[in-house]
Amino acid sequence: MNTAHLTRGPLAYVDRGPGVPMLLLHGFPLDHTMWSAQIDALSQHARVIAPDIRGFGQSPLGYVDSQRGITMEEHADELAELLDNLGITEPIVLVGFSMGGYIAWQFVRKHRERLRALVQCDTRAIADTDEARAGRIKMADNVADWGSERVAEMMGPKLFSARALETQPELMAEVRRVVKATPPAAIAAAQRGMAARPDVTSMLPSIDVPTLILVGGVDAISSPEEMRSIADAIPNAQFVEILAAGHMTTMEKPQEVNATISDFLKRLP
Ligand code: MLT
């Protein structure tokens, strides 16, 4: 991995391939390795930049206000700084997954001029319910005592389809490995930031870049119905459901996801 020295500290990222820059934003509480299959395939015809978002993987958390964590907007601004640091001025294809998608909405809101296209995978536009927010704060308050591995066990059943949990146990083992290595403070900071994220539904009709909305057909976190309504609200967005995949579509059905994104890239104006 490479390291960029940014205002908040070092940020680790993969940078591979020629062509249009594509920025891949991973989910919670993961790192860039959830995109391994996409990095391999998409870097054949794009410049794929896959950072470890602040606090995750090899990017240290550094100082954060423990009461509010890191907001999605702060992550978006830091990723714009990463592009500056790499000297990328050409419009990019932004690809967000789940928490990475929450960050991507803020990137669209604040850095629209940097975008050529948007791909949102298995994410949500609405804010949390009070109950979901309370669950996040509970985790943020307790994860130091629980340990990160317990978070992997709590989330596991929701991340993959029942079929993948049974027939591809190596996927859950990989997620467990990544989550276990994630510092509790990073988990807490991200949960507080996600709990505070705004509802962006009213922004969707103003998104004017080519957009692909992609979701696993049995995603238990961001449902196909909810993602279809996001696609319906964005002018001319393309909607693709990856049949039988759970939330972690990129890991469960890499070939379908890669083919869908490659096809979208080829048809960009
Ligand atoms: C993710 O996959 O990034 C998380 O499930 C998002 C969330 O907790 O809302």
Side-chain angles (χ1 to χ4, degrees):
M1 289 191 92
N2 305 302
T3 303
H5 295 278
L6 306 183
T7 311
R8 267 183 184 268
L11 199 86
Y13 64 98
V14 167
D15 184 355
R16 194 182 318 160
V20 61
M22 282 186 96
L23 183 61
L24 309 187
L25 306 183
H26 64 76
F28 165 89
L30 305 170
D31 67 11
H32 76 283
T33 58
M34 63 153 278
W35 296 114
S36 292
Q38 287 68 46
I39 294 169
D40 287 347
L42 299 172
S43 64
Q44 305 296 316
H45 40 245
R47 177 176 176 186
V48 176
I49 298 151
D52 282 344
I53 291 167
R54 176 67 58 208
F56 296 94
Q58 294 179 42
S59 296
L61 182 62
Y63 170 77
V64 292
D65 179 335
S66 63
Q67 282 316 300
R68 70 174 179 85
I70 303 186
T71 65
M72 303 298 103
E73 181 178 343
E74 285 167 324
H75 282 302
D77 289 343
E78 180 166 61
L79 293 160
E81 188 189 353
L82 172 65
L83 297 178
D84 288 341
N85 188 280
L86 295 176
I88 294 176
T89 51
E90 178 188 347
I92 65 158
V93 178
L94 181 61
V95 186
F97 170 88
S98 204
M99 179 188 76
Y102 308 154
I103 296 169
W105 297 131
Q106 296 307 313
F107 194 101
V108 173
R109 190 172 68 79
K110 294 199 63 188
H111 306 284
R112 159 68 188 87
E113 73 289 352
R114 303 195 85 134
L115 289 181
R116 169 130 181 238
L118 176 67
V119 180
Q120 286 283 49
C121 310
D122 304 274
T123 193
R124 316 188 74 180
I126 55 174
D128 282 343
T129 60
D130 288 345
E131 190 188 350
R133 200 172 289 122
R136 291 194 196 277
I137 300 304
K138 184 175 174 196
M139 186 185 288
D141 287 345
N142 291 290
V143 64
D145 293 335
W146 293 347
S148 301
E149 196 169 8
R150 180 157 156 201
V151 173
E153 300 316 321
M154 288 166 74
M155 293 189 69
K158 285 192 149 190
L159 293 179
F160 293 100
S161 65
R163 189 190 167 109
L165 285 172
E166 200 182 313
T167 62
Q168 295 171 280
E170 69 282 4
L171 298 183
M172 188 55 212
E174 175 59 14
V175 162
R176 196 179 288 116
R177 183 191 66 75
V178 172
V179 180
K180 203 173 154 187
T182 304
I187 291 177
Q191 284 289 40
R192 292 190 200 285
M194 288 193 285
R197 76 185 193 282
D199 185 320
V200 296
T201 310
S202 64
M203 184 185 94
L204 302 178
S206 67
I207 295 180
D208 60 354
V209 291
T211 301
L212 168 66
I213 301 291
L214 187 153
V215 65
V218 293
D219 185 333
I221 294 177
S222 34
S223 72
E225 295 72 30
E226 193 176 321
M227 288 218 75
R228 185 183 284 280
S229 70
I230 292 175
D232 287 346
I234 299 174
N236 303 316
Q238 185 189 347
F239 175 76
V240 174
E241 184 175 326
I242 308 286
L243 289 180
H247 187 59
M248 299 298 308
T249 42
T250 61
M251 293 176 75
E252 272 191 40
K253 300 272 183 180
Q255 277 149 9
E256 286 92 329
V257 169
N258 296 347
T260 303
I261 297 178
S262 294
D263 186 55
F264 175 73
L265 277 186
K266 279 186 205 131
R267 288 187 291 102
L268 282 183

